[in-house]
Every structure is written in C-alpha cells, then in structure tokens.
Amino acid sequence: AQSVTQLDSQVPVFEEAPVELRCNYSSSVSVYLFWYVQYPNQGLQLLLKYLSGSTLVKGINGFEAEFNKSQTSFHLRKPSVHISDTAEYFCALDSSYKLIFGSGTRLLVRP
Amino acid sequence: GAVVSQHPSRVICKSGTSVKIECRSLDFQATTMFWYRQFPKQSLMLMATSNEGSKATYEQGVEKDKFLINHASLTLSTLTVTSAHPEDSSFYICSAKGQVALREQYFGPGTRLTVT
C-alpha cells in the first residue's frame, strides 16, 4: 500500500535560519510527489511537485525539494525562512490520480 | 489561472438540517473534483471523487446518503451534508483537476461548517 510519512509534527526555527521538513513515502509504482502549504483557515497552495526528470525541484517562495529514490524521501528545504512562512506543510503522493497526504508539519518561525 | 472557489466560506446550521457547499472551477474545465474533510490540526481525508456527469465514488467509511455529491457541469460540484449533526462540524475542502495536467489538483479555500 502507498503511504506518506511526515515524522515531525512541528518544527520551530528562528527567522533567517535554514529549515528542512522531512517526508518519506512508500510506493511500489511510479512516484509523483507534491508539497503543499496551508495557512490558517485556508485551502492548500502548491509549493512544488516532482513528476519526472531532475530530482532537485524548485518551487515558489524559495522552497526546494529533492527526490531521493533510494531513501524514498522528498524532503522540503528553504535556506532562510521568514516569519510569513509559518504555516502547515503537507507532503502528498499521487496514487492513481488521487492524493495521499502525510499528517502535516507545522513550521513555526520565531523572530 | 487554475482558480477554484468555494461557497460559502463559513456556515452555521442547526442539527437536523441540510447544508450545501459549492465548488467551482473559475477558469478551467474540471473533469474531476475531489472533496476532502479536515479536522482541527489533522491532515486532509479524501471523502469522494466526482467526475462530471457520473455518480461520485466514495471512500471507504464515508456515508454516501449523508454526503451527497453532484457534479452536474464541468465547472461546478456540490456537496450536501444531509441531516447534519455536531460531529459533522469540520473544514471541507474541494479540489479540481483539468483535462491537461492530470496529476495536478487545484484546491479551493475551504468551507468551515459548524453544526449547533
């Protein structure tokens, strides 16, 4: 069965520090992976996606992620975070055109 | 492009009544729409998948008679929560896929339902 695991429920970080949000997946078929961000009481906004090709994917707002097939990971990174990056981040796996979501990681950026 | 709207953004209803939530794709034709439910501080749970002109496919454990989904056109899907109870209070989010980028879903802003 396909699944997505986000081990960190919350990641506190100081402003301008780098951050990595971890995502691991389990899948026996072709892998299509996504990172979404959700601000309070809002829907989801796509940050970036991996469908094929280069394993280093760049997204919006300075985020990037690297697809690692051997580690079955798709970790999200940002070299310098802002207060405005405080939000919930979801990793998702496309399974037969449906999305399977991880449990989410709350990024809390402190001044 | 690829904007999805939901209406209403918030709704409060009394126990036993029904409430309808609309999901619209504003600038593209959505062949498939998805309805999710999200409890506080939790992830999204897929409730059902709807394709234009056909019956929705519900995920295991979702009551199809309670959560009625209609996808009557390529730009509109509705979710009706029938005989609502306080335990139906939740954040409902829809998403839509177009005819080109089949692995991309575009999400609506969500609807906060409170049943009193």
Side-chain angles (χ1 to χ4, degrees), chain B:
Chain B
V3 178
V4 176
S5 70
Q6 277 184 247
H7 178 79
S9 58
R10 290 177 175 270
V11 58
I12 301 173
C13 70
K14 292 188 175 181
S15 187
T17 61
S18 296
V19 62
K20 180 184 286 187
I21 303 170
E22 292 186 349
C23 176
R24 292 182 185 272
S25 57
L26 299 184
D27 51 2
F28 68 102
Q29 293 186 326
T31 51
T32 305
M33 286 184 168
F34 303 87
W35 286 96
Y36 297 86
R37 185 172 181 177
Q38 185 179 32
F39 291 105
K41 300 188 187 302
Q42 293 189 28
S43 189
L44 280 73
M45 180 192 78
L46 179 64
M47 299 174 65
T49 303
S50 72
N51 292 296
E52 185 265 338
S54 60
K55 288 185 178 180
T57 302
Y58 291 81
E59 296 299 303
Q60 192 171 9
V62 178
E63 300 175 61
K64 59 182 67 177
D65 293 331
K66 181 166 189 60
F67 299 100
L68 301 178
I69 292 172
N70 185 288
H71 192 162
S73 77
L74 283 172
T75 59
L76 173 65
S77 176
T78 60
L79 167 66
T80 301
V81 183
T82 63
S83 186
H85 292 286
E87 57 265 31
D88 298 325
S89 298
S90 190
F91 194 53
Y92 292 88
I93 304 175
C94 73
S95 70
K97 278 201 307 191
Q99 298 164 311
V100 179
L102 296 180
R103 297 200 182 273
E104 292 203 37
Q105 293 186 27
Y106 304 98
F107 286 82
T111 296
R112 172 76 60 194
L113 170 63
T114 303
V115 184
T116 60

